Amino acid sequence: VTVIQQSGKPGLTNSTIRVRGVGSFGASPDALVIIDGMPGSLDNIDLGDVESVSVLKDASSAAIYGARAANGVILVTTKSGHSGKLSVEYDGNVGITKPTELPEMASSWDYAKMLNEASGSINYTDADIAKFRSGTDPDTYPNTNWLKEIFTRNGIQTEHRLSISGGEKSNNYLISLGYLNQQGIVDKNGYERYNFLLNFNSELSKNLKLTTNILATSQETYEPTTPADETGPTVEGIIGEAVRLP
């Protein structure tokens, strides 16, 4: 099993799970994710609510789930209540995200000199280069590191989860509430998610058991874009432009 996270963007892990590599070039190579018997996504659940994870990799799994199981199946079982006294649990964490490494950009005067050398012509005179270096006229002769202008903060991430469980031998329940807030390292970029889980088990008779699972997720992602065109560059495009701007 290979798991790859391709993005550090808030709310967009873009995680891919491969079982035995890529099995098809035409269809999606992703494994089928089953959460409590229903198809779903790992991005939509609170990992604190997960009881167990199993991987079905053999062809026999296709007998249960059909052609969708051609690339393997990820079985996820969420937590359930247990008989006994009322139990209340809380989990929380706080973290900080920041760039691990940024490229070292040339100064504006070094860029001007290298542009002259690369083009074989005088795009910038010695007087222009001196003004770039002095910084006395930053509007006309700037020296801006656009990456530092974009990465203006460290992203703060907070996660909270509250669960209540209890019941008797014949009836037990678990209620879980979760909240996740992720700030991006780019201003006005972030993600919020609310999770609700209800698992209720009732033994109606010796040979009849009723299981109720309710999983609800509400999420919101916000990020900057170009004012002139709302379908323009998102965070990835803005960062890409910042790397290219002289």
Side-chain angles (χ1 to χ4, degrees), residues 16 22 38 59 64 84 91 96 103 137 163 175 178 182 187 213 218:
T16 59
V22 177
M38 298 291 291
I64 305 174
D91 293 314
I96 296 178
D137 187 5
S163 65
I175 302 174
Q182 292 178 317
D187 193 24
N213 297 328
S218 174

Side-chain angles (χ1 to χ4, degrees), residues 66-84:
R68 295 179 301 171
N71 298 306
V73 181
I74 309 296
L75 293 179
V76 179
T77 303
T78 57
K79 295 179 179 178
S80 299
H82 301 281
S83 59

Side-chain angles (χ1 to χ4, degrees), residues 157-235:
Q157 172 177 312
T158 60
E159 188 171 13
H160 307 276
R161 177 179 171 272
L162 178 67
S163 65
I164 303 173
S165 61
E168 303 172 350
K169 184 178 180 180
S170 58
N171 296 283
N172 57 72
Y173 61 89
L174 180 138
I175 302 174
S176 174
L177 299 173
Y179 173 72
L180 172 65
N181 184 300
Q182 292 178 317
Q183 281 186 352
I185 56 178
V186 176
D187 193 24
K188 302 184 186 303
N189 178 212
Y191 172 76
E192 275 189 317
R193 186 186 71 199
Y194 295 87
N195 289 89
F196 171 77
L197 174 67
L198 170 63
N199 283 348
F200 179 76
N201 299 310
S202 178
E203 192 173 317
L204 302 180
S205 66
K206 184 177 180 180
N207 299 317
L208 182 60
K209 182 179 180 181
L210 175 65
T211 300
T212 303
N213 297 328
I214 298 177
L215 174 63
T217 302
S218 174
Q219 49 192 336
E220 179 182 11
T221 303
Y222 51 93
E223 60 182 284
T225 185
T226 52
D229 182 5
E230 293 184 358
T231 62
T234 54
V235 171

Side-chain angles (χ1 to χ4, degrees), residues 14-186:
N14 278 350
S15 300
T16 59
I17 301 177
R18 302 283 189 264
V19 180
R20 298 169 299 155
V22 177
S24 173
F25 293 101
S28 171
D30 294 344
L32 174 65
V33 178
I34 301 294
I35 303 174
D36 288 338
M38 298 291 291
S41 171
L42 293 177
D43 292 334
N44 295 332
I45 62 174
D46 188 335
L47 296 182
D49 291 330
V50 174
E51 179 72 28
S52 64
V53 178
S54 302
V55 178
L56 303 182
K57 60 181 180 60
D58 298 325
S60 59
S61 58
I64 305 174
Y65 299 102
R68 295 179 301 171
N71 298 306
V73 181
I74 309 296
L75 293 179
V76 179
T77 303
T78 57
K79 295 179 179 178
S80 299
H82 301 281
S83 59
K85 295 182 179 180
L86 176 69
S87 175
V88 179
E89 294 184 6
Y90 168 78
D91 293 314
N93 64 74
V94 178
I96 296 178
T97 59
K98 62 180 181 179
T100 54
E101 191 72 28
L102 294 177
E104 295 185 11
M105 312 300 288
S107 63
S108 58
W109 54 90
D110 284 332
Y111 178 85
K113 290 189 290 184
M114 288 189 288
L115 184 61
N116 286 343
E117 181 179 350
S119 63
S121 59
I122 304 300
N123 296 280
Y124 297 99
T125 64
D126 290 340
D128 291 331
I129 294 175
K131 291 180 180 179
F132 276 123
R133 187 187 296 271
S134 67
T136 55
D137 187 5
D139 292 331
T140 309
Y141 299 93
N143 180 41
T144 304
N145 187 326
W146 291 107
L147 287 178
K148 288 186 178 180
E149 293 293 320
I150 291 176
F151 298 135
T152 56
R153 66 180 184 182
N154 292 332
I156 300 177
Q157 172 177 312
T158 60
E159 188 171 13
H160 307 276
R161 177 179 171 272
L162 178 67
S163 65
I164 303 173
S165 61
E168 303 172 350
K169 184 178 180 180
S170 58
N171 296 283
N172 57 72
Y173 61 89
L174 180 138
I175 302 174
S176 174
L177 299 173
Y179 173 72
L180 172 65
N181 184 300
Q182 292 178 317
Q183 281 186 352
I185 56 178
V186 176

